[in-house]
Amino acid sequence: MPPPRALTTYTTSLQAFHKKLLASQRILAVCGAGLSAASGLPTFRGSAGALWRTHKATDLATPEAFRADPGLVWSFYAQRRRAALRAEPNRGHLALAALGRWAVASAAEGREGRREFLCLSQNVDDLHSRASHPPSTLRLLHGSLFSLKCASQTCTWTEQNNTLDPLCAALVDPTSQTTQHIPPSALPTCPQCKTSLQRPGVVWFGEQLDASMLAEIDDWIARDEVDIVLVIGTSSAVYPAAGFAEQARGRGRKTSVVTVNLDAGVRGMKEGDFAFAGDAAVLLPLLLGPVIGEV
């Protein structure tokens, strides 16, 4: 199969990348919403996803918005849940899942110099998991649309893998453009404390990522040299995800940062880096092919 035309745009070489890949033992990936665009899910900040009804999507993804109008916020997330349930993992998800299985198989061999891979995803759509990505090589930085938690900070109740659609009768038609108010009494309450509302188990703007997960990631990066960092479908504008590539590069490390994005460019590249512009669903199987085979 001939390489996509985008691969000829830059001076970086597919052949050179494959040589680096085959010699690599530790690979880190940082994924953003662009990875799921080929599955039909709009990027959160892009023109297709920036507005919901008449509201900025980023304005609804906050604790303050939930306190002010939980029915409105839940309508927004109910629509996102429905869209994610109808989407299918694309070949980019499948390629990363295959890379995860490659690392798991290497670890099972127990030999010295085993191959390692860790995928850090900012996506909450669960398409990584539905692509059978091994959980041991996947960290969902921003949680999942299909996780629920109590809105009270003093209550510990959570629920995983809730794919009910609708979540409750009041959310039966989240795609409607009507602005009918949904009262809190019509939304599901926490079964543990029985007073606070359930909320999406995602990390909202103004909230902190899970500290134990971040510590685990820091330990993984620091444990040994990272050969390749794949930055996939993201502008790397959101921290701390944006800092992982430079953290992995470290002082004196021969780390290659490999950008795979529709608008990937050579600006900011350092010696040994690569940039491949195009659809991650097309490029990732091609880039990772020497290790994972066909997907």
Side-chain angles (χ1 to χ4, degrees), residues 225-244:
E225 181 168 332
V226 178
D227 299 292
I228 290 175
V229 181
L230 298 166
V231 180
I232 304 163
T234 176
S235 62
S236 295
V238 179
Y239 279 80
F244 288 129

Side-chain angles (χ1 to χ4, degrees), residues 4 7 23 44-45 54 72 75 82 88 109 122 146-147 193 218 242 247 251-252:
L7 289 178
F44 197 65
R45 297 170 184 269
T54 59
L72 176 66
S75 292
R82 180 168 296 177
E88 294 292 336
E109 293 177 5
Q122 302 171 79
F146 305 103
S147 296
C193 71
D218 289 343
Q247 181 182 350
R251 182 176 296 177

Side-chain angles (χ1 to χ4, degrees), residues 33-59:
L35 174 62
S36 293
S39 295
L41 299 179
T43 58
F44 197 65
R45 297 170 184 269
S47 59
L51 287 177
W52 179 77
R53 296 180 182 171
T54 59
H55 304 274
K56 288 184 178 180
T58 51
D59 290 343

Side-chain angles (χ1 to χ4, degrees), residues 75-104:
S75 292
F76 170 63
Y77 278 94
Q79 182 169 335
R80 294 190 70 196
R81 282 165 59 96
R82 180 168 296 177
L85 284 170
R86 293 177 177 177
E88 294 292 336
N90 61 56
R91 294 181 70 237
H93 295 106
L94 296 176
L96 291 170
L99 194 63
R101 291 191 292 273
W102 165 81
V104 170

